[in-house]
Amino acid sequence: MSMVTETIEVDVPVSTAYNQWTQFEEFPRFMEGVERVEQLDARHNRWTMELGGITREFDTEIIDQLADERIAWRTTRGETKQKGMVSFQRLDESHTRVELVMDVEAKDIAEKAAAATGLIERRVKGDMRRFKEYIEGRGGESGAWRGRITPG
């Protein structure tokens, strides 16, 4: 597995950053290569992504979620294998640190090439930068999910 970590500070309150991140279907607005995310229920999402000219479809399950603190997930079906967590740290009333940590398992030559050339790391870095621009440019979140999902 290839681990990717990226941290960014956003100029919004922690609840705003967290609330926007829970709007999974809006990920294509700021995540490169993400063509579609369909939220199936509170725990499950279906993703369509493009990597190196190849379209991938996979399902994820949220395994841990605590409002304003973290969201952890893992893949459950499809060609892509990954797990990760995004965490939110309140810096002050109007600033938040967002950290994304992902383990991605390269399954085929396209994914291995993407990992070897640093494409995955560059995409994640760009996605976090675009999330900052997106949330700060909006002036607020487009929705929120404040439920709790516990491991196990």
Side-chain angles (χ1 to χ4, degrees):
M1 290 202 134
S2 174
M3 183 175 295
V4 179
T5 302
E6 186 64 32
T7 303
I8 196 158
E9 291 182 12
V10 294
D11 297 336
V12 298
V14 68
S15 61
T16 302
Y18 171 85
N19 288 345
Q20 186 60 55
W21 200 279
T22 67
Q23 303 308 294
F24 306 114
E25 292 183 352
E26 292 195 25
F27 281 7
R29 296 179 184 257
F30 60 88
M31 288 188 174
E32 182 181 355
V34 176
E35 296 176 356
R36 182 170 184 231
V37 179
E38 179 185 359
Q39 188 161 4
L40 304 173
D41 59 35
R43 281 186 179 264
H44 301 94
N45 294 296
R46 178 159 295 136
W47 292 67
T48 304
M49 292 187 65
E50 177 275 323
L51 179 64
I54 299 171
T55 299
R56 305 262 189 238
E57 291 189 5
F58 59 95
D59 292 347
T60 58
E61 175 186 28
I62 296 169
I63 55 174
D64 186 20
Q65 185 167 353
L66 180 59
D68 299 340
E69 288 190 24
R70 67 184 171 272
I71 303 169
W73 73 92
R74 66 179 170 211
T75 55
T76 59
R77 183 193 69 79
E79 302 162 306
T80 299
K81 299 290 182 199
Q82 62 171 258
K83 61 183 177 180
M85 182 169 65
V86 60
S87 60
F88 305 84
Q89 179 186 5
R90 179 187 185 275
L91 300 175
D92 61 34
E93 288 187 23
S94 60
H95 297 90
T96 304
R97 178 174 295 124
V98 182
E99 181 179 46
L100 178 64
V101 178
M102 289 176 40
D103 274 332
V104 181
E105 182 180 333
K107 298 288 284 178
D108 62 18
I109 194 152
E111 290 178 345
K112 289 177 182 175
T117 62
L119 176 63
I120 295 171
E121 290 86 356
R122 287 191 306 277
R123 271 204 181 171
V124 168
K125 186 179 192 87
D127 291 346
M128 294 295 278
R129 186 185 73 251
R130 284 184 295 277
F131 175 72
K132 175 181 175 64
E133 294 166 359
Y134 183 72
I135 189 64
E136 291 176 0
R138 287 188 61 87
E141 67 268 30
S142 62
W145 190 81
R146 306 294 295 177
R148 174 79 171 112
I149 295 175
T150 56

